[in-house]
Amino acid sequence: MENKGQISIELILIIGFITLMILGIASFIGEDNELNQAMSAARSGAIEGANIDSFAIYPEEAFKNYTVEHQRLLSQSNIKIIKIDYVNQGFKEEYNKTKIQLRISASAPSVTEISDRNALGDRVNFHARKSICESFDASSQTNEMFNPAFSNRYVFTTADVIWI
């Protein structure tokens, strides 16, 4: 008779221990998943920005500016995103989130002027930040340049594009 009660207690202890382990692991996976989702969104946005730059498709205001200052950008060019990595800059009290700075490396052999590359890089960075905001439905939390971009646990900024 005594064995029947012991099996139930052991089963409850095992199930409780497994549940605690799953909850502990899930919190770590959730944080990694959010950062992976943001990095994936940033890559997608950077590629979109590079494609828009490659095809020389710009909003009217940018087109007018490029007509005066960046004539080279009005024709097609070949822009390739090489890599995207990030630097964790720690927890920032002003946002109550961890700050992540994205660093995008790109190549554009046909664009040699530094000012033209900076203009292209600004557009690539803009689309990377915009894509993060759209991915986390956080467009209302930032400005029209999507700088900084927000997720639930992180705030994202971008460094100047590194041209290779």
Side-chain angles (χ1 to χ4, degrees):
M1 294 275 174
E2 295 177 37
N3 290 339
K4 290 182 183 179
Q6 185 147 356
I7 293 173
S8 298
I9 292 173
E10 289 172 352
L11 183 61
I12 290 171
L13 287 173
I14 290 171
I15 290 173
F17 180 71
I18 290 172
T19 303
L20 286 174
M21 284 182 46
I22 289 172
L23 291 175
I25 292 170
S27 67
F28 290 114
I29 291 173
E31 289 179 21
D32 288 344
N33 186 41
E34 183 175 337
L35 189 54
N36 286 338
Q37 180 182 351
M39 292 302 291
S40 177
R43 181 157 196 72
S44 174
I47 290 170
E48 178 184 352
N51 288 339
I52 288 172
D53 284 339
S54 292
F55 296 131
I57 302 171
Y58 304 110
E60 186 176 348
E61 185 177 320
F63 181 79
K64 288 178 183 177
N65 180 31
Y66 291 175
T67 302
V68 175
E69 295 181 25
H70 303 286
Q71 286 285 319
R72 167 62 188 92
L73 301 182
L74 298 177
S75 60
Q76 292 182 346
S77 54
N78 184 18
I79 301 169
K80 181 178 178 184
I81 301 298
I82 306 296
K83 73 176 182 174
I84 299 177
D85 59 357
Y86 66 90
V87 175
N88 184 333
Q89 296 182 327
F91 187 80
K92 298 298 179 185
E93 290 290 332
E94 63 202 77
Y95 300 113
N96 202 25
K97 297 174 188 265
T98 301
K99 186 176 180 184
I100 303 289
Q101 184 182 50
L102 301 174
R103 296 182 305 183
I104 301 171
S105 298
S107 172
S110 61
V111 181
T112 56
E113 291 290 322
I114 292 173
S115 65
D116 291 344
R117 284 188 171 191
N118 286 339
L120 294 176
D122 289 345
R123 183 135 331 262
V124 168
N125 281 336
F126 166 80
H127 282 280
R129 293 187 309 265
K130 179 182 176 189
S131 184
I132 291 171
C133 285
E134 289 172 348
S135 178
F136 290 98
D137 197 28
S139 298
S140 63
Q141 297 175 8
T142 187
N143 60 25
E144 65 184 23
M145 297 303 291
F146 301 98
N147 194 17
F150 294 96
S151 72
N152 298 330
R153 292 186 178 109
Y154 301 101
V155 57
F156 297 90
T157 59
T158 50
D160 289 341
V161 171
I162 300 164
W163 293 98
I164 299 173

PDB file of all heavy atoms in Angstrom, residues 86-119:
ATOM      1  N   TYR A  86      27.057  43.215 -35.082  1.00  0.00           N
ATOM      2  CA  TYR A  86      26.589  44.198 -34.109  1.00  0.00           C
ATOM      3  C   TYR A  86      27.531  44.256 -32.916  1.00  0.00           C
ATOM      4  O   TYR A  86      28.315  43.347 -32.669  1.00  0.00           O
ATOM      5  CB  TYR A  86      25.170  43.870 -33.641  1.00  0.00           C
ATOM      6  CG  TYR A  86      25.056  42.591 -32.845  1.00  0.00           C
ATOM      7  CD1 TYR A  86      25.186  42.604 -31.465  1.00  0.00           C
ATOM      8  CD2 TYR A  86      24.818  41.376 -33.472  1.00  0.00           C
ATOM      9  CE1 TYR A  86      25.084  41.442 -30.732  1.00  0.00           C
ATOM     10  CE2 TYR A  86      24.712  40.206 -32.748  1.00  0.00           C
ATOM     11  CZ  TYR A  86      24.838  40.247 -31.372  1.00  0.00           C
ATOM     12  OH  TYR A  86      24.737  39.083 -30.651  1.00  0.00           O
ATOM     13  N   VAL A  87      27.408  45.368 -32.196  1.00  0.00           N
ATOM     14  CA  VAL A  87      28.137  45.570 -30.957  1.00  0.00           C
ATOM     15  C   VAL A  87      27.098  45.825 -29.868  1.00  0.00           C
ATOM     16  O   VAL A  87      26.270  46.733 -29.995  1.00  0.00           O
ATOM     17  CB  VAL A  87      29.099  46.783 -31.055  1.00  0.00           C
ATOM     18  CG1 VAL A  87      29.759  47.051 -29.718  1.00  0.00           C
ATOM     19  CG2 VAL A  87      30.119  46.572 -32.141  1.00  0.00           C
ATOM     20  N   ASN A  88      27.134  45.004 -28.824  1.00  0.00           N
ATOM     21  CA  ASN A  88      26.253  45.199 -27.684  1.00  0.00           C
ATOM     22  C   ASN A  88      26.859  46.300 -26.830  1.00  0.00           C
ATOM     23  O   ASN A  88      27.946  46.149 -26.281  1.00  0.00           O
ATOM     24  CB  ASN A  88      26.119  43.893 -26.894  1.00  0.00           C
ATOM     25  CG  ASN A  88      25.130  44.016 -25.754  1.00  0.00           C
ATOM     26  OD1 ASN A  88      24.896  45.081 -25.208  1.00  0.00           O
ATOM     27  ND2 ASN A  88      24.536  42.891 -25.401  1.00  0.00           N
ATOM     28  N   GLN A  89      26.169  47.425 -26.732  1.00  0.00           N
ATOM     29  CA  GLN A  89      26.679  48.572 -25.986  1.00  0.00           C
ATOM     30  C   GLN A  89      26.130  48.645 -24.568  1.00  0.00           C
ATOM     31  O   GLN A  89      26.275  49.663 -23.899  1.00  0.00           O
ATOM     32  CB  GLN A  89      26.396  49.854 -26.761  1.00  0.00           C
ATOM     33  CG  GLN A  89      27.124  49.894 -28.085  1.00  0.00           C
ATOM     34  CD  GLN A  89      26.905  51.180 -28.844  1.00  0.00           C
ATOM     35  OE1 GLN A  89      25.832  51.791 -28.774  1.00  0.00           O
ATOM     36  NE2 GLN A  89      27.912  51.601 -29.586  1.00  0.00           N
ATOM     37  N   GLY A  90      25.499  47.578 -24.132  1.00  0.00           N
ATOM     38  CA  GLY A  90      25.027  47.496 -22.747  1.00  0.00           C
ATOM     39  C   GLY A  90      23.657  48.100 -22.532  1.00  0.00           C
ATOM     40  O   GLY A  90      23.042  48.664 -23.434  1.00  0.00           O
ATOM     41  N   PHE A  91      23.190  47.972 -21.315  1.00  0.00           N
ATOM     42  CA  PHE A  91      21.873  48.471 -20.938  1.00  0.00           C
ATOM     43  C   PHE A  91      21.898  49.988 -20.837  1.00  0.00           C
ATOM     44  O   PHE A  91      22.783  50.559 -20.209  1.00  0.00           O
ATOM     45  CB  PHE A  91      21.446  47.863 -19.604  1.00  0.00           C
ATOM     46  CG  PHE A  91      20.032  48.181 -19.222  1.00  0.00           C
ATOM     47  CD1 PHE A  91      18.985  47.476 -19.769  1.00  0.00           C
ATOM     48  CD2 PHE A  91      19.759  49.197 -18.325  1.00  0.00           C
ATOM     49  CE1 PHE A  91      17.673  47.768 -19.420  1.00  0.00           C
ATOM     50  CE2 PHE A  91      18.463  49.502 -17.967  1.00  0.00           C
ATOM     51  CZ  PHE A  91      17.411  48.789 -18.513  1.00  0.00           C
ATOM     52  N   LYS A  92      20.922  50.642 -21.463  1.00  0.00           N
ATOM     53  CA  LYS A  92      20.837  52.105 -21.438  1.00  0.00           C
ATOM     54  C   LYS A  92      19.587  52.521 -20.663  1.00  0.00           C
ATOM     55  O   LYS A  92      18.457  52.174 -21.038  1.00  0.00           O
ATOM     56  CB  LYS A  92      20.772  52.684 -22.864  1.00  0.00           C
ATOM     57  CG  LYS A  92      22.002  52.372 -23.699  1.00  0.00           C
ATOM     58  CD  LYS A  92      23.250  52.969 -23.093  1.00  0.00           C
ATOM     59  CE  LYS A  92      24.464  52.646 -23.913  1.00  0.00           C
ATOM     60  NZ  LYS A  92      25.701  53.080 -23.343  1.00  0.00           N
ATOM     61  N   GLU A  93      19.809  53.243 -19.582  1.00  0.00           N
ATOM     62  CA  GLU A  93      18.715  53.694 -18.708  1.00  0.00           C
ATOM     63  C   GLU A  93      17.707  54.573 -19.449  1.00  0.00           C
ATOM     64  O   GLU A  93      16.517  54.510 -19.183  1.00  0.00           O
ATOM     65  CB  GLU A  93      19.279  54.462 -17.503  1.00  0.00           C
ATOM     66  CG  GLU A  93      20.013  53.600 -16.517  1.00  0.00           C
ATOM     67  CD  GLU A  93      19.118  52.664 -15.740  1.00  0.00           C
ATOM     68  OE1 GLU A  93      17.925  52.987 -15.545  1.00  0.00           O
ATOM     69  OE2 GLU A  93      19.614  51.600 -15.335  1.00  0.00           O
ATOM     70  N   GLU A  94      18.212  55.413 -20.375  1.00  0.00           N
ATOM     71  CA  GLU A  94      17.315  56.348 -21.065  1.00  0.00           C
ATOM     72  C   GLU A  94      16.245  55.638 -21.883  1.00  0.00           C
ATOM     73  O   GLU A  94      15.154  56.158 -22.086  1.00  0.00           O
ATOM     74  CB  GLU A  94      18.112  57.294 -21.947  1.00  0.00           C
ATOM     75  CG  GLU A  94      18.877  56.584 -23.070  1.00  0.00           C
ATOM     76  CD  GLU A  94      20.031  57.387 -23.592  1.00  0.00           C
ATOM     77  OE1 GLU A  94      21.060  57.408 -22.901  1.00  0.00           O
ATOM     78  OE2 GLU A  94      19.890  57.983 -24.673  1.00  0.00           O
ATOM     79  N   TYR A  95      16.541  54.426 -22.361  1.00  0.00           N
ATOM     80  CA  TYR A  95      15.574  53.636 -23.128  1.00  0.00           C
ATOM     81  C   TYR A  95      14.995  52.483 -22.316  1.00  0.00           C
ATOM     82  O   TYR A  95      14.020  51.873 -22.723  1.00  0.00           O
ATOM     83  CB  TYR A  95      16.233  53.053 -24.384  1.00  0.00           C
ATOM     84  CG  TYR A  95      16.788  54.084 -25.324  1.00  0.00           C
ATOM     85  CD1 TYR A  95      18.168  54.192 -25.536  1.00  0.00           C
ATOM     86  CD2 TYR A  95      15.950  54.954 -26.013  1.00  0.00           C
ATOM     87  CE1 TYR A  95      18.684  55.130 -26.409  1.00  0.00           C
ATOM     88  CE2 TYR A  95      16.463  55.907 -26.880  1.00  0.00           C
ATOM     89  CZ  TYR A  95      17.833  55.979 -27.071  1.00  0.00           C
ATOM     90  OH  TYR A  95      18.343  56.910 -27.929  1.00  0.00           O
ATOM     91  N   ASN A  96      15.645  52.155 -21.213  1.00  0.00           N
ATOM     92  CA  ASN A  96      15.295  50.992 -20.401  1.00  0.00           C
ATOM     93  C   ASN A  96      15.404  49.706 -21.229  1.00  0.00           C
ATOM     94  O   ASN A  96      14.607  48.793 -21.090  1.00  0.00           O
ATOM     95  CB  ASN A  96      13.890  51.140 -19.792  1.00  0.00           C
ATOM     96  CG  ASN A  96      13.711  50.267 -18.577  1.00  0.00           C
ATOM     97  OD1 ASN A  96      14.676  49.921 -17.910  1.00  0.00           O
ATOM     98  ND2 ASN A  96      12.478  49.901 -18.304  1.00  0.00           N
ATOM     99  N   LYS A  97      16.406  49.692 -22.123  1.00  0.00           N
ATOM    100  CA  LYS A  97      16.642  48.562 -23.021  1.00  0.00           C
ATOM    101  C   LYS A  97      18.141  48.423 -23.259  1.00  0.00           C
ATOM    102  O   LYS A  97      18.910  49.335 -22.996  1.00  0.00           O
ATOM    103  CB  LYS A  97      15.947  48.771 -24.369  1.00  0.00           C
ATOM    104  CG  LYS A  97      14.432  48.850 -24.301  1.00  0.00           C
ATOM    105  CD  LYS A  97      13.839  49.200 -25.657  1.00  0.00           C
ATOM    106  CE  LYS A  97      12.363  49.468 -25.544  1.00  0.00           C
ATOM    107  NZ  LYS A  97      11.555  48.328 -25.824  1.00  0.00           N
ATOM    108  N   THR A  98      18.535  47.293 -23.799  1.00  0.00           N
ATOM    109  CA  THR A  98      19.926  47.075 -24.187  1.00  0.00           C
ATOM    110  C   THR A  98      20.148  47.705 -25.555  1.00  0.00           C
ATOM    111  O   THR A  98      19.358  47.503 -26.479  1.00  0.00           O
ATOM    112  CB  THR A  98      20.227  45.564 -24.243  1.00  0.00           C
ATOM    113  OG1 THR A  98      19.977  45.002 -22.952  1.00  0.00           O
ATOM    114  CG2 THR A  98      21.669  45.307 -24.639  1.00  0.00           C
ATOM    115  N   LYS A  99      21.227  48.466 -25.691  1.00  0.00           N
ATOM    116  CA  LYS A  99      21.525  49.161 -26.945  1.00  0.00           C
ATOM    117  C   LYS A  99      22.439  48.297 -27.816  1.00  0.00           C
ATOM    118  O   LYS A  99      23.477  47.812 -27.357  1.00  0.00           O
ATOM    119  CB  LYS A  99      22.180  50.503 -26.679  1.00  0.00           C
ATOM    120  CG  LYS A  99      22.378  51.325 -27.938  1.00  0.00           C
ATOM    121  CD  LYS A  99      22.949  52.697 -27.617  1.00  0.00           C
ATOM    122  CE  LYS A  99      23.143  53.508 -28.886  1.00  0.00           C
ATOM    123  NZ  LYS A  99      23.781  54.795 -28.592  1.00  0.00           N
ATOM    124  N   ILE A 100      22.035  48.134 -29.064  1.00  0.00           N
ATOM    125  CA  ILE A 100      22.797  47.368 -30.045  1.00  0.00           C
ATOM    126  C   ILE A 100      23.134  48.297 -31.215  1.00  0.00           C
ATOM    127  O   ILE A 100      22.249  48.958 -31.754  1.00  0.00           O
ATOM    128  CB  ILE A 100      21.974  46.168 -30.584  1.00  0.00           C
ATOM    129  CG1 ILE A 100      21.502  45.250 -29.444  1.00  0.00           C
ATOM    130  CG2 ILE A 100      22.753  45.405 -31.639  1.00  0.00           C
ATOM    131  CD1 ILE A 100      22.568  44.455 -28.778  1.00  0.00           C
ATOM    132  N   GLN A 101      24.422  48.350 -31.583  1.00  0.00           N
ATOM    133  CA  GLN A 101      24.815  49.141 -32.750  1.00  0.00           C
ATOM    134  C   GLN A 101      25.118  48.178 -33.899  1.00  0.00           C
ATOM    135  O   GLN A 101      25.961  47.294 -33.778  1.00  0.00           O
ATOM    136  CB  GLN A 101      26.036  49.994 -32.470  1.00  0.00           C
ATOM    137  CG  GLN A 101      26.397  50.884 -33.654  1.00  0.00           C
ATOM    138  CD  GLN A 101      27.637  51.710 -33.392  1.00  0.00           C
ATOM    139  OE1 GLN A 101      28.651  51.201 -32.969  1.00  0.00           O
ATOM    140  NE2 GLN A 101      27.529  53.008 -33.667  1.00  0.00           N
ATOM    141  N   LEU A 102      24.393  48.355 -35.004  1.00  0.00           N
ATOM    142  CA  LEU A 102      24.597  47.532 -36.190  1.00  0.00           C
ATOM    143  C   LEU A 102      25.740  48.095 -37.020  1.00  0.00           C
ATOM    144  O   LEU A 102      25.864  49.313 -37.170  1.00  0.00           O
ATOM    145  CB  LEU A 102      23.326  47.504 -37.043  1.00  0.00           C
ATOM    146  CG  LEU A 102      22.067  46.977 -36.371  1.00  0.00           C
ATOM    147  CD1 LEU A 102      20.872  47.141 -37.297  1.00  0.00           C
ATOM    148  CD2 LEU A 102      22.238  45.541 -35.965  1.00  0.00           C
ATOM    149  N   ARG A 103      26.550  47.204 -37.560  1.00  0.00           N
ATOM    150  CA  ARG A 103      27.642  47.594 -38.465  1.00  0.00           C
ATOM    151  C   ARG A 103      27.466  46.812 -39.758  1.00  0.00           C
ATOM    152  O   ARG A 103      27.592  45.588 -39.777  1.00  0.00           O
ATOM    153  CB  ARG A 103      29.000  47.298 -37.832  1.00  0.00           C
ATOM    154  CG  ARG A 103      29.243  48.116 -36.575  1.00  0.00           C
ATOM    155  CD  ARG A 103      30.587  47.870 -35.991  1.00  0.00           C
ATOM    156  NE  ARG A 103      30.762  46.424 -35.762  1.00  0.00           N
ATOM    157  CZ  ARG A 103      31.825  45.887 -35.205  1.00  0.00           C
ATOM    158  NH1 ARG A 103      32.808  46.646 -34.820  1.00  0.00           N
ATOM    159  NH2 ARG A 103      31.913  44.595 -35.017  1.00  0.00           N
ATOM    160  N   ILE A 104      27.189  47.540 -40.817  1.00  0.00           N
ATOM    161  CA  ILE A 104      26.936  46.936 -42.122  1.00  0.00           C
ATOM    162  C   ILE A 104      28.152  47.152 -43.005  1.00  0.00           C
ATOM    163  O   ILE A 104      28.651  48.274 -43.112  1.00  0.00           O
ATOM    164  CB  ILE A 104      25.673  47.545 -42.768  1.00  0.00           C
ATOM    165  CG1 ILE A 104      24.456  47.312 -41.864  1.00  0.00           C
ATOM    166  CG2 ILE A 104      25.453  46.982 -44.161  1.00  0.00           C
ATOM    167  CD1 ILE A 104      23.206  48.033 -42.271  1.00  0.00           C
ATOM    168  N   SER A 105      28.616  46.082 -43.618  1.00  0.00           N
ATOM    169  CA  SER A 105      29.724  46.169 -44.575  1.00  0.00           C
ATOM    170  C   SER A 105      29.160  45.924 -45.968  1.00  0.00           C
ATOM    171  O   SER A 105      28.369  45.000 -46.172  1.00  0.00           O
ATOM    172  CB  SER A 105      30.787  45.115 -44.274  1.00  0.00           C
ATOM    173  OG  SER A 105      31.332  45.321 -42.999  1.00  0.00           O
ATOM    174  N   ALA A 106      29.553  46.777 -46.920  1.00  0.00           N
ATOM    175  CA  ALA A 106      29.023  46.684 -48.275  1.00  0.00           C
ATOM    176  C   ALA A 106      30.130  46.936 -49.286  1.00  0.00           C
ATOM    177  O   ALA A 106      31.208  47.427 -48.946  1.00  0.00           O
ATOM    178  CB  ALA A 106      27.889  47.691 -48.467  1.00  0.00           C
ATOM    179  N   SER A 107      29.814  46.616 -50.530  1.00  0.00           N
ATOM    180  CA  SER A 107      30.757  46.832 -51.628  1.00  0.00           C
ATOM    181  C   SER A 107      30.019  47.510 -52.772  1.00  0.00           C
ATOM    182  O   SER A 107      28.892  47.127 -53.103  1.00  0.00           O
ATOM    183  CB  SER A 107      31.314  45.480 -52.080  1.00  0.00           C
ATOM    184  OG  SER A 107      32.071  45.634 -53.246  1.00  0.00           O
ATOM    185  N   ALA A 108      30.656  48.502 -53.361  1.00  0.00           N
ATOM    186  CA  ALA A 108      30.116  49.206 -54.526  1.00  0.00           C
ATOM    187  C   ALA A 108      31.289  49.696 -55.360  1.00  0.00           C
ATOM    188  O   ALA A 108      31.657  50.872 -55.299  1.00  0.00           O
ATOM    189  CB  ALA A 108      29.224  50.359 -54.103  1.00  0.00           C
ATOM    190  N   PRO A 109      31.903  48.804 -56.150  1.00  0.00           N
ATOM    191  CA  PRO A 109      33.101  49.185 -56.901  1.00  0.00           C
ATOM    192  C   PRO A 109      32.893  50.336 -57.878  1.00  0.00           C
ATOM    193  O   PRO A 109      33.820  51.098 -58.143  1.00  0.00           O
ATOM    194  CB  PRO A 109      33.480  47.910 -57.658  1.00  0.00           C
ATOM    195  CG  PRO A 109      32.682  46.813 -57.059  1.00  0.00           C
ATOM    196  CD  PRO A 109      31.534  47.422 -56.357  1.00  0.00           C
ATOM    197  N   SER A 110      31.671  50.489 -58.388  1.00  0.00           N
ATOM    198  CA  SER A 110      31.425  51.534 -59.382  1.00  0.00           C
ATOM    199  C   SER A 110      31.242  52.914 -58.752  1.00  0.00           C
ATOM    200  O   SER A 110      31.248  53.925 -59.450  1.00  0.00           O
ATOM    201  CB  SER A 110      30.204  51.180 -60.230  1.00  0.00           C
ATOM    202  OG  SER A 110      29.055  51.083 -59.409  1.00  0.00           O
ATOM    203  N   VAL A 111      31.077  52.976 -57.445  1.00  0.00           N
ATOM    204  CA  VAL A 111      30.909  54.253 -56.745  1.00  0.00           C
ATOM    205  C   VAL A 111      32.196  54.510 -55.959  1.00  0.00           C
ATOM    206  O   VAL A 111      32.479  53.824 -54.982  1.00  0.00           O
ATOM    207  CB  VAL A 111      29.693  54.227 -55.792  1.00  0.00           C
ATOM    208  CG1 VAL A 111      29.528  55.568 -55.099  1.00  0.00           C
ATOM    209  CG2 VAL A 111      28.426  53.854 -56.555  1.00  0.00           C
ATOM    210  N   THR A 112      32.952  55.505 -56.380  1.00  0.00           N
ATOM    211  CA  THR A 112      34.261  55.744 -55.770  1.00  0.00           C
ATOM    212  C   THR A 112      34.297  56.977 -54.873  1.00  0.00           C
ATOM    213  O   THR A 112      35.139  57.057 -53.988  1.00  0.00           O
ATOM    214  CB  THR A 112      35.336  55.880 -56.862  1.00  0.00           C
ATOM    215  OG1 THR A 112      34.957  56.925 -57.758  1.00  0.00           O
ATOM    216  CG2 THR A 112      35.492  54.575 -57.632  1.00  0.00           C
ATOM    217  N   GLU A 113      33.425  57.928 -55.096  1.00  0.00           N
ATOM    218  CA  GLU A 113      33.410  59.159 -54.285  1.00  0.00           C
ATOM    219  C   GLU A 113      32.919  58.861 -52.873  1.00  0.00           C
ATOM    220  O   GLU A 113      31.908  58.195 -52.686  1.00  0.00           O
ATOM    221  CB  GLU A 113      32.502  60.213 -54.923  1.00  0.00           C
ATOM    222  CG  GLU A 113      33.017  60.775 -56.213  1.00  0.00           C
ATOM    223  CD  GLU A 113      34.240  61.656 -56.002  1.00  0.00           C
ATOM    224  OE1 GLU A 113      34.285  62.394 -54.997  1.00  0.00           O
ATOM    225  OE2 GLU A 113      35.151  61.592 -56.848  1.00  0.00           O
ATOM    226  N   ILE A 114      33.633  59.381 -51.888  1.00  0.00           N
ATOM    227  CA  ILE A 114      33.273  59.148 -50.492  1.00  0.00           C
ATOM    228  C   ILE A 114      31.895  59.719 -50.173  1.00  0.00           C
ATOM    229  O   ILE A 114      31.095  59.089 -49.488  1.00  0.00           O
ATOM    230  CB  ILE A 114      34.345  59.732 -49.555  1.00  0.00           C
ATOM    231  CG1 ILE A 114      35.639  58.931 -49.703  1.00  0.00           C
ATOM    232  CG2 ILE A 114      33.876  59.723 -48.109  1.00  0.00           C
ATOM    233  CD1 ILE A 114      36.811  59.500 -48.952  1.00  0.00           C
ATOM    234  N   SER A 115      31.592  60.910 -50.676  1.00  0.00           N
ATOM    235  CA  SER A 115      30.283  61.525 -50.387  1.00  0.00           C
ATOM    236  C   SER A 115      29.148  60.712 -50.997  1.00  0.00           C
ATOM    237  O   SER A 115      28.074  60.591 -50.404  1.00  0.00           O
ATOM    238  CB  SER A 115      30.244  62.969 -50.878  1.00  0.00           C
ATOM    239  OG  SER A 115      30.350  63.029 -52.282  1.00  0.00           O
ATOM    240  N   ASP A 116      29.376  60.134 -52.175  1.00  0.00           N
ATOM    241  CA  ASP A 116      28.361  59.280 -52.797  1.00  0.00           C
ATOM    242  C   ASP A 116      28.166  57.998 -51.981  1.00  0.00           C
ATOM    243  O   ASP A 116      27.039  57.542 -51.774  1.00  0.00           O
ATOM    244  CB  ASP A 116      28.749  58.926 -54.235  1.00  0.00           C
ATOM    245  CG  ASP A 116      28.681  60.118 -55.176  1.00  0.00           C
ATOM    246  OD1 ASP A 116      28.058  61.138 -54.801  1.00  0.00           O
ATOM    247  OD2 ASP A 116      29.240  60.035 -56.291  1.00  0.00           O
ATOM    248  N   ARG A 117      29.258  57.428 -51.525  1.00  0.00           N
ATOM    249  CA  ARG A 117      29.161  56.216 -50.703  1.00  0.00           C
ATOM    250  C   ARG A 117      28.440  56.510 -49.384  1.00  0.00           C
ATOM    251  O   ARG A 117      27.660  55.691 -48.903  1.00  0.00           O
ATOM    252  CB  ARG A 117      30.547  55.638 -50.438  1.00  0.00           C
ATOM    253  CG  ARG A 117      31.109  54.915 -51.631  1.00  0.00           C
ATOM    254  CD  ARG A 117      32.379  54.200 -51.286  1.00  0.00           C
ATOM    255  NE  ARG A 117      32.782  53.344 -52.404  1.00  0.00           N
ATOM    256  CZ  ARG A 117      33.718  52.441 -52.336  1.00  0.00           C
ATOM    257  NH1 ARG A 117      34.391  52.265 -51.206  1.00  0.00           N
ATOM    258  NH2 ARG A 117      34.017  51.699 -53.375  1.00  0.00           N
ATOM    259  N   ASN A 118      28.703  57.676 -48.805  1.00  0.00           N
ATOM    260  CA  ASN A 118      28.004  58.044 -47.574  1.00  0.00           C
ATOM    261  C   ASN A 118      26.505  58.163 -47.807  1.00  0.00           C
ATOM    262  O   ASN A 118      25.702  57.743 -46.964  1.00  0.00           O
ATOM    263  CB  ASN A 118      28.563  59.341 -46.998  1.00  0.00           C
ATOM    264  CG  ASN A 118      29.915  59.159 -46.362  1.00  0.00           C
ATOM    265  OD1 ASN A 118      30.302  58.056 -45.995  1.00  0.00           O
ATOM    266  ND2 ASN A 118      30.659  60.247 -46.247  1.00  0.00           N
ATOM    267  N   ALA A 119      26.111  58.746 -48.938  1.00  0.00           N
ATOM    268  CA  ALA A 119      24.689  58.876 -49.258  1.00  0.00           C
ATOM    269  C   ALA A 119      24.058  57.493 -49.447  1.00  0.00           C
ATOM    270  O   ALA A 119      22.948  57.238 -48.967  1.00  0.00           O
ATOM    271  CB  ALA A 119      24.500  59.726 -50.515  1.00  0.00           C
TER     272      ALA A 119
END
